[in-house]
């Protein structure tokens, strides 16, 4: 009898322990209030009002664990219509929370609120959030840090501490005014006046000694840097004087670790690196500068922050790293070739090996007639020679409620006519067709998409972002993609998994993904100037066969146009 009682007590104890353990890993609910408001900010000897979240520049970091539910109430107190995108979060069946204005939602008007309610499923690492309308993401952005579930360690040495490094751009002028003036002329908007690290340009700029980000470190430790490129138009090299970095994650996906002096991060991309503080105690500059290997003018100034060993006085002048030259193509290509998925049993690379649908999209710039522009023309950008026209009704709403005459689903799988895409610059017949044309994809289709840069006006590197999905970058190359020989070189074992891919200047990138997330998902160049000119499109992914594989109903507070 005593044995039975003990066993019963033991079973009860184990049961309670099981409940406790279950509650430890159960999803928590993380709630945030985002008040979008104007704030006067001074940089480079100039003060101006900027759009912020909660008066912070950059905005607040959203912290969550894998498996959590996140509820963010956004209230718009500024004169601009606004929406926020949670960049890299897959938003399974829940495009209503994705955020791109007029694609998945109408923007919040002045005085309106909208609750972004989403689950963080099967993702952990560094992502970010930003405004997704006009050029407001120049100041409206912040980090998303998704920690692993309890008891699931990083697949690399546990760092002593971690810090966010958000790379951005700063304009002395009001950005929206400058962009509107450029559009009226039909010319490109002005370049930024500085790059920033966590909103600060660093001491190489005027009036910026006090606007310098400093990380204080202890000698002999390992630190994790979560690096985000929130710049609008510039790919950036980043390095730390005297220190190597070990890349362990890109776009919230673990990678095979490798050591490098510099990393390359395109707009929209994130990179996590480990840094060992094993140098002689000193002050070391962290620096970022542009990568641009095309004849396009960029802001080529260097932003700096300081890695400062404890005990070193602030009077010590920091050591500056020698970044790669802005046009160092070989460094950029070599760096990207080193990026590989971890591909372990715990973190497999589930690359689609069988392809149901092959797409070939050309990326081009163009010039269209513009009777209202001072120049008589304006610059355009296109995919398969189609310049995307933004609708007046959100595409996801039109799809869900079958609203007619909002979009067509005849986006072509390949360009209208083949040509020598990356030959001599093409400067005649630069007109594009326009329309709100989407590509319809059956649920669970495996898609291979080749993005091909072209020399219409000029070749240029394009960071392409797909909403609602990660994809595998199975191949990249310079020149024209060859469908006969290039697929044989694809990496189908451990290719990098990303949400934003850099299409090389005068080259191509091939990606694969499984269309298992129903809804309307935006794909666009993450250079804001090109997005504005129409370098964007969207996929309509059909529902699966059951309600559990279909788009969820819209929330009650869904904004109307």
């Amino acid at each position: 009898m005593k044995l039975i009682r003990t066993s019963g007590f033991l079973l009860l104890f184990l049961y309670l322990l099981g409940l406790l353990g279950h509650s430890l890993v159960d999803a928590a609910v993380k709630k945030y209030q985002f008040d979008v408001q104007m704030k006067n900010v001074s940089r480079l000897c100039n003060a101006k009002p900027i759009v912020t979240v909660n008066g912070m520049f950059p905005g607040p970091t959203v912290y969550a664990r894998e498996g959590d539910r996140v509820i963010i109430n956004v209230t718009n107190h500024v004169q601009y219509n606004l929406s926020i995108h949670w960049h890299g979060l897959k938003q399974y069946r829940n495009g209503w929370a994705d955020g791109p204005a007029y694609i998945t939602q109408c923007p919040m008007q002045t005085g309106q609120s909208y609750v972004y309610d989403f689950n963080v499923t099967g993702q952990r690492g560094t992502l970010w959030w930003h405004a997704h309308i006009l050029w407001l993401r120049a100041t409206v952005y912040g980090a998303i840090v998704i920690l692993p579930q309890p008891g699931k360690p990083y697949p690399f040495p546990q760092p002593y501490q971690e810090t966010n490094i958000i790379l951005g751009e700063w304009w002395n002028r009001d950005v929206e005014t400058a962009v509107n003036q450029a559009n009226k002329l039909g010319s490109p908007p002005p370049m930024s006046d500085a790059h920033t690290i966590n909103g600060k340009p660093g001491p190489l700029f005027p009036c910026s000694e006090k606007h310098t980000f400093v990380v204080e470190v202890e000698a002999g430790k390992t630190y994790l840097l979560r690096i985000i490129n929130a710049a609008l138009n510039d790919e950036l090299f980043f390095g730390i004087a005297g220190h190597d970095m070990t890349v362990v994650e890109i776009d919230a996906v673990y990678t095979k670790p490798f050591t490098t002096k510099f990393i390359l991060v395109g707009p929209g991309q994130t990179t996590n690196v480990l840094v060992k503080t094993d140098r002689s105690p000193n002050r070391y500059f962290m620096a970022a500068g542009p990568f641009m290997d095309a004849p396009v003018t960029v802001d080529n100034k260097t932003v700096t922050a300081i890695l400062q060993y404890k005990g070193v006085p602030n009077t010590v002048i920091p050591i500056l790293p020698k970044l790669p030259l802005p046009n160092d193509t070989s460094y950029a290509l070599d760096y990207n070739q080193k990026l590989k998925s971890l591909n372990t049993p715990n973190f497999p690379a589930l690359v689609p090996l069988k392809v149901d649908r092959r797409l070939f999209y050309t990326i081009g710039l163009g010039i269209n007639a513009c009777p209202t522009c001072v120049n008589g023309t304006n610059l355009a950008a296109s995919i398969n020679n189609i310049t995307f026209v933004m609708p007046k009704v959100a595409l996801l709403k039109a799809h869900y409620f079958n609203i007619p005459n909002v979009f067509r689903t005849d986006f072509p799988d390949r360009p209208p006519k083949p040509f020598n895409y990356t030959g001599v610059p093409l400067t005649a017949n630069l007109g594009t067709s326009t329309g709100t044309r989407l590509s319809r994809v059956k649920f669970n289709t495996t898609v291979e998409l080749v993005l091909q840069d072209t020399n219409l006006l000029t070749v240029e590197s394009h960071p392409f972002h797909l909403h609602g999905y990660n994809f595998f970058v199975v191949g990249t190359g310079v020149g024209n993609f060859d469908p006969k020989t290039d697929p044989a070189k694809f990496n189908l074992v451990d290719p990098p998994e990303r949400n934003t891919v850099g299409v090389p200047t005068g080259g191509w990138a091939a990606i694969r993904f499984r269309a298992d997330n129903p809804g309307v998902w935006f794909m666009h160049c993450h250079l804001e100037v090109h997005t504005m000119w129409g370098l964007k499109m969207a996929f309509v992914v059909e529902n699966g066969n059951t309600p559990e594989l279909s788009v969820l109903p819209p929330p009650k507070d869904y904004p109307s146009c």
Side-chain angles (χ1 to χ4, degrees), residues 373-437:
C373 297
V374 174
N375 299 344
T377 59
N378 65 0
L379 289 155
S382 68
I383 301 173
N384 284 352
N385 207 46
I386 298 163
T387 295
F388 191 82
V389 175
M390 294 296 273
K392 302 283 192 292
V393 175
L395 297 175
L396 180 59
K397 180 180 180 179
H399 166 61
Y400 187 84
F401 292 106
N402 293 309
I403 302 170
N405 306 318
V406 176
F407 64 86
R408 289 157 46 184
T409 55
D410 61 349
F411 192 92
D413 286 2
R414 47 200 54 81
K417 53 184 167 194
F419 60 97
N420 181 7
Y421 307 114
T422 56
V424 294
L426 301 164
T427 53
N429 303 318
L430 291 174
T432 67
S433 65
T434 58
T436 311
R437 297 168 67 180

Side-chain angles (χ1 to χ4, degrees), residues 165-300:
I165 301 285
I166 312 181
L167 310 174
E169 288 184 83
W170 174 266
W171 280 260
N172 286 329
R173 295 174 63 191
D174 179 75
V175 179
E176 296 305 324
T177 304
V179 170
N180 290 338
Q181 286 173 348
N183 286 341
K184 281 179 187 159
L185 286 170
S187 59
M191 286 181 311
S192 55
D193 295 291
H195 294 112
T196 56
I197 292 177
N198 293 345
K200 299 173 178 180
L204 304 187
F205 287 89
C207 305
S208 298
E209 280 284 344
K210 63 185 177 205
H211 299 305
T212 302
F213 180 70
V214 180
V215 183
E216 191 177 66
V217 296
E218 290 182 28
K221 305 287 189 187
T222 299
Y223 290 80
L224 178 69
L225 303 186
R226 300 176 179 271
I227 302 161
I228 298 164
N229 187 348
L232 278 79
N233 296 308
D234 293 340
E235 293 183 83
L236 293 164
F237 288 118
F238 174 89
I240 308 170
H243 294 72
D244 290 338
M245 297 176 287
T246 301
V247 176
V248 292
E249 179 198 300
I250 53 171
D251 292 6
V253 180
Y254 296 134
T255 61
K256 287 187 170 66
F258 68 93
T259 300
T260 182
K261 294 251 181 261
F262 306 102
I263 64 167
L264 176 63
V265 209
Q269 294 182 334
T270 69
T271 305
N272 281 10
V273 300
L274 295 175
V275 178
K276 287 185 177 171
T277 50
D278 54 5
R279 296 294 184 259
S280 60
N282 209 326
R283 298 173 88 216
Y284 297 90
F285 271 133
M286 302 183 279
F291 166 59
M292 172 52 75
D293 58 350
V296 176
T297 313
V298 291
D299 175 358
N300 64 0

Side-chain angles (χ1 to χ4, degrees), residues 90 124 253-256 339-353 470-474 491-498 512-514:
K90 293 179 186 176
R124 82 291 309 158
V253 180
Y254 296 134
T255 61
K256 287 187 170 66
L339 297 171
K340 298 197 184 332
S341 288
L342 193 56
N343 193 26
T344 60
N346 285 337
F347 306 103
L350 303 174
V351 189
L353 300 179
N470 280 358
F471 48 74
F472 292 96
V473 186
V474 295
N491 176 4
L492 302 178
V493 177
D494 59 357
E497 184 182 343
R498 312 206 69 140
R512 286 187 184 182
F513 64 96
R514 181 179 292 278

